[in-house]
Amino acid sequence: MALGTYVVDSWTTRDVTSRERADLWGEHVTSYQSRMSYRYPHTDDFHAGTIRQCTDTYQLVKWWSGTIKYTRTAGQVRHAPDEDYRLLLPVAGELVLRQDDQELRLVPEAGCLLTFAAPFEILQGDFMQAFIMSIPAQEVNGRLNRSSPLATGLDLTSGLGRVVGDMLTGLHEERDTLTSGQFDAVSDRLVELLCMLVAGDDRPTAPGHLAEVETVVRRYIREHAADPDMTGTTVAQALGWSLRQVQLALRQAGTTPRELIREERLRLVRDRLRAPAYRHMTITELTYASGFSSSSALSTAFRQRFGVCPREMRHAGPRSVGDTRRS
């Protein structure tokens, strides 16, 4: 996929013969997920389809199909490694997930975060519809301070869970109006809230609790990322906590004040490079307006984080769905 593109495409078994549908469905799913095995109780009348949205960072797929069992074996995990997470959310019907000695039964408004880095089984009945969102491992592991398999049932009927579910549905419904930058920006926020939900941070915590400190610090740094004088010390002073508290809270999440400040500044630059409102600004002007001390410092950090330099990302530019849609 070309850098900076936002792709929306659809696929269905409707246009192929009944004998081909099952095999083609397996090939199709493997092509945009990872290697798995597929078992169909009935192949002569199998029907399925997808609507997919993706950038170079996130992917959201809504799919529907007949009865099927998906299996990812230990051998497939070794030979086709995939460390990223998937957010599963049924829209109609029921899913049963088995992973890491757990079994979860998912119905509409009951989601699940699972990893493709460990074997699993997914069983679904007929007339199934669901969302599956691919999330880079570092976006989850850093916030939850973990790198081990995770299979967690999530209640999306109320509170923060309902907000996450609504955002996921909104991303799908607005697929024809979003740009690459907008899709990634909403996905970033969705993943942040999802991690809070998984960690249990949707409930009020006692004053001084490290989880609360982390949440407030992250929000403050994001809102003030362009301040060139921001440091861990200034953040702590502004929020009324000690630097030690801030450091401990972020260490628990697998990061430091300096790393988090840099990450938020890099995200800010990325979003501005894609935004038409900032096209008039040079890379140097964007550098200083986003809190970086020099263009060289930005270029080095930006390439390490996103794999390209700022100028290359700007050259790719934001693209509309109409410019990038695949047939």
Side-chain angles (χ1 to χ4, degrees):
M1 191 189 322
L3 174 68
T5 60
Y6 168 59
V7 175
V8 176
D9 57 31
S10 59
W11 188 93
T12 177
T13 59
R14 184 177 57 245
D15 300 326
V16 299
T17 66
S18 58
R19 291 185 303 172
E20 299 176 294
R21 289 171 184 165
D23 289 341
L24 286 177
W25 176 248
E27 294 174 6
H28 176 65
V29 174
T30 297
S31 70
Y32 67 78
Q33 293 295 347
S34 192
R35 189 179 302 172
M36 291 181 284
S37 300
Y38 309 88
R39 181 175 296 177
Y40 311 84
H42 308 288
T43 58
D44 52 347
D45 60 350
F46 181 78
H47 294 277
T50 60
I51 299 175
R52 182 175 67 119
Q53 302 161 251
C54 63
T55 63
D56 51 346
T57 306
Y58 295 101
Q59 176 176 265
L60 176 61
V61 179
K62 183 177 183 181
W63 94 90
W64 57 95
S65 80
T67 304
I68 187 171
K69 177 181 179 181
Y70 300 90
T71 303
R72 183 158 164 82
T73 66
Q76 290 168 337
V77 170
R78 288 194 303 272
H79 294 106
D82 184 340
E83 299 295 325
D84 293 342
Y85 291 89
R86 298 328 190 258
L87 172 61
L88 281 176
L89 176 61
V91 176
E94 182 178 270
L95 285 174
V96 176
L97 167 67
R98 297 171 183 152
Q99 183 178 57
D100 197 24
D101 297 324
Q102 299 182 64
E103 179 174 300
L104 296 173
R105 190 170 298 273
L106 304 178
V107 295
E109 298 186 316
C112 175
L113 186 65
L114 74 145
T115 175
F116 269 44
F120 63 76
E121 291 182 346
I122 297 177
L123 296 82
Q124 68 166 68
D126 211 358
F127 307 110
M128 179 70 206
Q129 296 184 44
F131 287 115
I132 181 167
M133 183 177 194
S134 301
I135 303 171
Q138 66 269 21
E139 300 294 337
V140 173
N141 293 338
R143 290 186 171 99
L144 297 182
N145 193 26
R146 64 181 298 134
S147 57
S148 57
L150 179 70
T152 303
L154 303 169
D155 181 2
L156 305 185
T157 60
S158 62
L160 187 56
R162 182 174 179 180
V163 173
V164 170
D166 288 347
M167 290 178 70
L168 194 71
T169 302
L171 274 175
H172 170 74
E173 292 178 346
E174 297 301 320
R175 60 189 179 276
D176 292 329
T177 65
L178 297 174
T179 65
S180 172
Q182 291 168 345
F183 180 80
D184 280 346
V186 175
S187 297
D188 284 342
R189 302 302 177 259
L190 187 154
V191 172
E192 181 180 5
L193 296 177
L194 175 65
C195 289
M196 290 175 62
L197 184 63
V198 171
D201 289 346
D202 56 321
R203 300 176 180 86
T205 56
H209 190 281
L210 291 181
E212 179 185 359
V213 175
E214 179 203 345
T215 299
V216 176
V217 167
R218 284 185 180 276
R219 183 183 304 119
Y220 181 89
I221 290 177
R222 176 171 296 122
E223 293 174 351
H224 298 82
D227 180 359
D229 298 321
M230 183 168 55
T231 64
T233 300
T234 63
V235 171
Q237 291 174 344
L239 296 175
W241 286 310
S242 70
L243 176 58
R244 180 64 174 165
Q245 280 179 301
V246 171
Q247 290 172 331
L248 285 174
L250 294 183
R251 182 185 303 168
Q252 181 174 271
T255 188
T256 67
R258 181 177 181 180
E259 291 172 351
L260 185 58
I261 290 170
R262 182 178 66 174
E263 172 69 13
E264 291 301 333
R265 285 174 176 166
L266 288 171
R267 289 176 184 265
L268 179 62
V269 173
R270 181 195 66 183
D271 293 345
R272 287 177 171 179
L273 286 169
R274 292 171 169 175
Y278 291 88
R279 296 290 293 179
H280 68 284
M281 296 181 68
T282 66
I283 300 297
T284 299
E285 290 171 336
L286 274 177
T287 296
Y288 296 116
S290 303
F292 282 91
S293 59
S294 70
S295 297
S296 60
L298 168 62
S299 182
T300 299
F302 199 89
R303 183 177 289 277
Q304 289 175 345
R305 178 64 175 84
F306 299 112
V308 294
C309 69
R311 196 170 304 279
E312 289 171 323
M313 181 164 285
R314 164 166 279 181
H315 181 70
R319 301 190 183 186
S320 66
V321 172
D323 295 328
T324 60
R325 179 170 298 183
R326 297 176 181 175
S327 60

